[in-house]
């Protein structure tokens, strides 16, 4: 690790232990603070952006908690250990983090601390940005990136560890959100959780401050950095969760005005059995990749046991049923996402089992590329949902048509159109909302959207079958509608460091 990062990492780790009486200082002569804007940009790349770091994943268990995942029964002697790795999350246990730690999932579950370490990196950059040498363009670009990324991290945290913004009966002005730490200065008092409303206010303020900076100074940022399109996309996502439909549509449109490209799956050579296409929607070459964020091929470890039977966790039958896909009709296979978005189990000649390995959306063999972040398809979906909700309120036909146009446009890039044209669909009323939600699920599965969407949809019941060994009777675990476990427990290790934190029930 470069020496300019040493004290930054120390600050983040010390923060996790609680209060401190003074500003964190250098501990030796070789720990040099950044002195230029360029070095602060390096700090962002090394300590803030997940891609390319030693820990690229924030929560490589979250998809297993949704209705998109299921557990297969595998009789091999190595299977029980693989089941146990993620059993805590898959069965929604109150001690899920401790259970996964005991099963040696390790870095994949360090969610709470992992986000705050990167927030500390943002805070250090923002604290130092006006104290270092550099030109205005570089300085404001770095400032915009740090604000944008801090807002992203807090947005994810509040949606993992707090009640949904739109939850029935929840007062967002009093219900606890997360710790709001905006400075690298660590004080004597332990930080406490601010309200959900206050957390969202900070996310919104950071994004609105970052936007003009990145519009003016960040136009040449790569897909691995925050850009104005990323900020507009995150504003759209945030307002969607807040049910501010006009604003969600507004910022989705602004993002699409800057990048409306989609990857046409039909134009890519169909992959031979058990191989992935040469390019995917999250490839750096993909026209629809906005931010190459985090995650990767190896997120879900040891769920496939090689030649020893089916993967212990896989895409659920319910999710698979949502696709109009016919692998036997080589002239028109239908919805190509069923083949291009998943990794097929290579023992499954009938192609009925899909591995829960999220990285396959990038395609090809670059397994170190991120597989989650932000892409253009989400913007079409966000705008469609906003228009549908407004249409259901006022019955305005132009809004319904606009939503259908967005959905059909997206689908036309996903269906097999080599020999036949895509046939548009048409829905109205609540059937349109139902269709939209299925379409969002078909498109964004295993990109860390489904858990948050289920929370927005009223936290419906989920059932997970589970069986570890032949001697164990098959069981079904149930996450009830509105269950408190739709809010993740704050890890006990975090609570032990900060006695002022209010635990989740």
């Amino acid at each position: 690790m470069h020496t300019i990062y040493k004290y930054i990492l120390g600050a983040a780790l010390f923060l996790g232990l609680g209060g401190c009486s003074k500003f964190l200082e250098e501990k030796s002569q070789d720990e040099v603070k950044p002195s230029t804007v360029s070095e602060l940009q390096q700090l962002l790349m090394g300590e803030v952006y997940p891609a390319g770091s030693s820990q690229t994943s924030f929560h490589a268990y979250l998809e297993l908690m949704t209705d998109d995942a299921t557990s297969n029964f595998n009789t091999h002697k190595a299977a029980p250990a693989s089941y146990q790795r993620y059993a805590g999350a898959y069965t929604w246990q109150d001690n899920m983090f401790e259970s996964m730690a005991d099963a040696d999932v390790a870095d994949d579950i360090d969610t709470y601390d992992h986000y705050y370490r990167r927030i500390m990196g943002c805070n250090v950059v923002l604290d130092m940005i006006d104290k270092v040498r550099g030109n205005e363009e570089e300085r404001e670009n770095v400032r915009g990136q740090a604000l944008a990324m801090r807002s992203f991290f807090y947005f994810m945290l509040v949606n993992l560890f707090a009640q949904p913004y739109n939850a029935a009966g929840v007062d967002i002005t009093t219900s606890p959100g997360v710790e709001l730490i905006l400075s690298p200065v660590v004080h004597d008092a332990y930080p406490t959780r601010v309200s959900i409303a206050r957390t969202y206010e900070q996310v919104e303020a950071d994004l609105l401050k970052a936007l003009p900076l990145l519009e003016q100074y960040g136009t040449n940022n790569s897909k691995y950095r925050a850009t104005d399109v990323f900020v507009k996309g995150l504003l759209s996502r945030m307002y969607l969760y807040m049910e501010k439909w006009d604003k969600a549509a507004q910022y989705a449109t602004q993002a699409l005005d800057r990048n409306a490209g989609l990857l046409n799956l039909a134009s890519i050579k169909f992959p031979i059995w058990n191989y992935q296409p040469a390019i995917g929607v999250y490839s750096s070459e993909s026209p629809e990749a906005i931010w190459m964020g985090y995650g990767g091929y190896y997120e879900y470890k040891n769920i496939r046991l090689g030649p020893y039977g089916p993967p212990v966790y896989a895409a659920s039958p319910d999710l698979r049923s949502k696709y109009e896909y016919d692998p036997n009709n080589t002239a028109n296979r239908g919805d190509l996402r069923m083949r291009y978005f998943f990794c097929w189990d290579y023992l499954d000649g009938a192609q009925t089992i899909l591995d829960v390995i999220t990285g396959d959306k990038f395609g090809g063999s670059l397994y170190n590329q991120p597989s989650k972040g932000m892409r253009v398809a989400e913007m079409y979906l966000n705008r469609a949902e906003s228009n549908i909700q407004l249409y259901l309120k006022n019955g305005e036909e132009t809004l319904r048509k606009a939503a259908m146009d967005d959905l059909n446009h997206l689908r036309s890039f996903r269906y097999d159109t080599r020999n036949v044209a895509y046939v548009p669909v048409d829905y109205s009323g609540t059937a349109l909302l139902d269709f939209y939600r299925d379409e969002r699920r078909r498109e964004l599965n295993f990109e860390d959207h489904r858990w948050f969407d289920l929370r927005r949809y009223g936290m419906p019941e989920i059932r997970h079958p589970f069986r570890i060994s032949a001697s164990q009777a098959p069981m079904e675990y149930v996450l009830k509608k509105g269950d408190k476990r739709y809010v993740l427990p704050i890890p006990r290790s975090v609570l032990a460091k900060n006695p002022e934190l209010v635990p989740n029930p």
Side-chain angles (χ1 to χ4, degrees), residues 144 147-152 155 200-214 230-236 238-239:
L147 287 166
M149 293 312 303
R150 185 170 72 179
S151 67
F152 172 77
F155 180 75
Y200 268 80
E201 287 170 4
Q202 188 63 50
V203 171
E204 182 180 35
D206 279 353
L207 289 173
L208 294 177
K209 187 175 181 180
L211 182 54
L213 298 178
L214 294 175
F230 169 78
V231 172
K232 291 167 182 174
L234 189 52
L235 281 165
S236 174
M238 180 194 72
Y239 287 128

Side-chain angles (χ1 to χ4, degrees), residues 231-292:
V231 172
K232 291 167 182 174
L234 189 52
L235 281 165
S236 174
R237 188 187 298 181
M238 180 194 72
Y239 287 128
L240 197 78
Y241 286 23
M242 298 171 74
E243 298 186 352
K244 295 186 177 181
W245 311 118
D246 286 322
K247 287 190 174 183
Q250 171 192 338
Y251 283 104
T253 298
Q254 289 186 20
L256 290 169
D257 287 343
R258 288 275 285 112
N259 181 6
L262 290 168
L263 181 64
N264 187 353
L265 298 185
S267 69
I268 303 169
K269 183 179 179 181
F270 191 77
I272 61 174
W273 179 68
N274 196 40
Y275 287 86
Q276 291 307 105
I279 185 174
V281 291
Y282 260 117
S283 300
S284 56
E285 300 86 0
S286 169
E288 65 185 85
I290 294 174
W291 178 53
M292 305 289 287

Side-chain angles (χ1 to χ4, degrees), residues 289-310:
I290 294 174
W291 178 53
M292 305 289 287
Y294 63 98
Y297 184 83
Y298 297 107
E299 276 198 306
Y300 290 89
K301 299 175 183 176
N302 297 337
I303 64 164
R304 181 193 291 175
L305 301 178
Y308 307 115

Side-chain angles (χ1 to χ4, degrees), residues 72 273-274 304 306-307 309-311 314-315 320 327 338-339 343-355:
N72 297 301
W273 179 68
N274 196 40
R304 181 193 291 175
R320 297 198 303 265
M338 185 68 163
R339 179 62 186 88
C343 177
W344 293 89
D345 185 72
Y346 68 94
L347 291 177
D348 180 28
Q351 296 190 344
T352 59
I353 299 174
L354 304 175
D355 285 359

Side-chain angles (χ1 to χ4, degrees), residues 22 26 53 68 83 92 124 130 150 152 155 192 214 275 299 323 328 334 350 418 430 454 468 472 487:
K22 60 181 179 178
E26 301 170 54
S53 71
D68 282 351
Y83 284 119
W92 310 289
V124 169
D130 292 318
R150 185 170 72 179
F152 172 77
F155 180 75
T192 59
L214 294 175
Y275 287 86
E299 276 198 306
Y323 291 94
N328 299 314
R418 294 168 301 139
T430 57
L454 290 170
I468 293 179
Q472 180 189 55
V487 179

Side-chain angles (χ1 to χ4, degrees), residues 65 87-99 477 485 489:
M65 301 177 71
Y90 179 74
T91 60
W92 310 289
Q93 299 302 306
D94 291 338
N95 67 338
M96 55 177 281
F97 290 111
E98 292 74 32
S99 170
Y477 288 82
R485 292 173 295 174

Side-chain angles (χ1 to χ4, degrees), residues 63 96 123 135 176 264 273 282 320 396 402-403 426 433 502:
E63 297 292 351
M96 55 177 281
N123 288 341
N135 63 51
N264 187 353
W273 179 68
Y282 260 117
R320 297 198 303 265
E396 188 174 333
D426 192 40
L433 180 60
V502 178

